[in-house]
Amino acid sequence: MVILPLAIAGLFAAAFGFTAWKARAIEQSYPNHGELIDVGGFRMNSLFVPAGEDADLPPIVFIHGASGNLRDQETAFRSRLEGRADLLFVDRPGHGYSERGSERNAWPDGQANAIARLMELRGIESAIIVGHSFGGAIAASFALEHPKKTAGLLFLAPATHPWPGGVDWYYDLAKKPYIGWLFSRLVALPAGLVRIDGATHSVFHPNPRPEKYVTEGAPALVLRPRNFRNNAIDVANLNEYVKQVAARYSSITAPTVVITGNRDAIVAEEIHSVGLKRDIEHADLVWIDSLGHKPDYVVPDVAVAALEKLAGQDRDLEAIARAAEARLRGQSAPRS
């Protein structure tokens, strides 16, 4: 009668201990290389890369998606844009190395407001806001809440509109007050380590995943308990939020480009990207055949051309997109 409770307690202790040890190991592998700045009661982490003398673009702020951190967009864009503009890569509140802050930061408008304050402290008056996936909802909210700070909007495979159905079960479970705390500290990290290779291949499918993504993009940071639970809460809240906010997108006046693929298995492009084209007057929608959920990595040339167009330069996005399609034709992700 005593042995069973002791065995259960031992298993719990071992799981807690493994998670704590592995979370520290992940942080040692991917240490913070940004700067923590107090934005009003909590600290946000960001990496600021200043423009060079020959800069030809306005400041650009990059907002990562679910399960991400600032390294995700930095890896995709820094080498292509460094020197051309002030670049600000952010860890969203509760992600990467940013603190969570208030409960309002579990919603896209709270995170948008935090990013706006961070921009002020970084000396950025306005910027082109780039949002990938979940970051698209924050970019849209940023434009609604801070139109004068929004020089333009670039949406990459965005999640911005209500969709039928829900989210994966583990998001709803991890969001719960008590059991979610336990799940994040007992199960999420070891299970995530088993799944991370296949999951990251799935995010890129049908396109090949760059090998550097796992090491340089540092997706393992989300497996740390606090990050995992914050991410789950964000994702579980999103549909409820966009049901309330999407009707306001028609008031967005910033120049806008949406880049999406027709093979996105993560978000439904016919709902989100088409919805943005419908709702934001004069928005450009760039469709790319055979592209999945990661245009930032798979067709970064199209994204950079979109930034140039948003900055007022003459760019034929359709021609550049067709060239990208020709490059993708015949490519496929390896079996995982």
Side-chain angles (χ1 to χ4, degrees), residues 42-45 62-70 89-100 105-108 111-112 114-115 132-136 138 227 230-231 234-235:
F42 73 103
R43 297 180 302 166
M44 273 193 71
N45 190 53
F62 295 89
I63 307 175
H64 64 81
S67 303
N69 63 85
L70 67 79
F89 301 94
V90 304
D91 278 337
R92 296 194 282 108
H95 298 259
Y97 286 92
S98 286
E99 297 170 353
R100 183 62 156 179
N105 289 338
W107 304 89
Q111 296 191 21
I115 292 170
H132 171 250
S133 192
F134 189 104
I138 298 168
N227 268 198
N230 289 333
N231 184 64
D234 287 357
V235 173

Side-chain angles (χ1 to χ4, degrees), residues 201-202 204-211 331-336:
H201 277 295
S202 295
F204 279 86
H205 187 81
N207 313 117
R209 185 200 71 189
E211 288 308 310
Q331 290 185 6
S332 61
R335 293 183 181 273
S336 60

Side-chain angles (χ1 to χ4, degrees), residues 42-43 49-50 73 75 113 117 216 234 267-268 276 278 283 302:
F42 73 103
R43 297 180 302 166
V49 182
Q73 297 293 281
T75 301
N113 291 337
R117 177 61 177 151
E216 297 183 18
D234 287 357
V267 302
L276 287 171
R278 177 192 65 232
V302 183

Side-chain angles (χ1 to χ4, degrees), residues 100-323:
R100 183 62 156 179
S102 72
E103 291 184 3
R104 193 63 233 171
N105 289 338
W107 304 89
D109 56 352
Q111 296 191 21
N113 291 337
I115 292 170
R117 177 61 177 151
L118 178 65
M119 286 172 57
E120 293 170 1
L121 295 170
R122 287 289 195 178
I124 300 174
E125 294 184 2
S126 67
I128 297 173
I129 309 298
V130 181
H132 171 250
S133 192
F134 189 104
I138 298 168
S141 290
F142 188 97
L144 292 172
E145 301 291 328
H146 305 280
K148 292 183 179 179
K149 295 182 185 296
T150 310
L153 292 166
L154 175 56
F155 293 97
L156 303 172
T160 49
H161 285 69
W163 68 90
V167 296
D168 289 332
W169 63 270
Y170 51 84
Y171 291 124
D172 287 323
L173 180 62
K175 178 185 177 181
K176 294 183 183 300
Y178 301 108
I179 193 171
W181 188 92
L182 285 170
F183 179 78
S184 300
R185 283 158 176 79
L186 293 173
V187 179
L189 193 149
L193 290 174
V194 172
R195 296 186 68 249
I196 195 166
D197 185 67
T200 50
H201 277 295
S202 295
V203 169
F204 279 86
H205 187 81
N207 313 117
R209 185 200 71 189
E211 288 308 310
K212 70 178 181 179
Y213 181 72
V214 174
T215 54
E216 297 183 18
L221 285 172
V222 77
L223 299 179
R224 296 170 300 160
R226 289 182 183 177
N227 268 198
F228 186 88
R229 190 154 186 263
N230 289 333
N231 184 64
I233 291 169
D234 287 357
V235 173
N237 284 348
L238 183 60
N239 207 7
E240 177 184 346
Y241 176 81
V242 294
K243 286 176 182 176
Q244 300 169 12
V245 174
R248 296 173 53 202
Y249 292 163
S250 60
S251 67
I252 294 174
T253 59
T256 299
V257 176
V258 184
I259 299 175
T260 195
N262 67 347
R263 298 286 303 280
D264 192 331
I266 307 300
V267 302
E269 66 274 6
E270 68 275 11
I271 294 175
H272 305 281
S273 295
V274 171
L276 287 171
K277 169 64 176 176
R278 177 192 65 232
D279 295 340
I280 301 177
E281 189 174 7
H282 305 307
D284 288 327
L285 175 57
V286 181
W287 284 95
I288 299 179
D289 186 50
S290 301
L291 173 66
H293 190 57
K294 293 293 281 180
D296 42 354
Y297 282 78
V298 179
V299 291
D301 52 329
V302 183
V304 170
L307 290 168
E308 293 167 344
K309 182 172 183 177
L310 289 168
Q313 299 179 23
D314 184 17
R315 293 291 181 270
D316 186 342
L317 294 186
E318 286 301 317
I320 296 169
R322 300 294 78 77

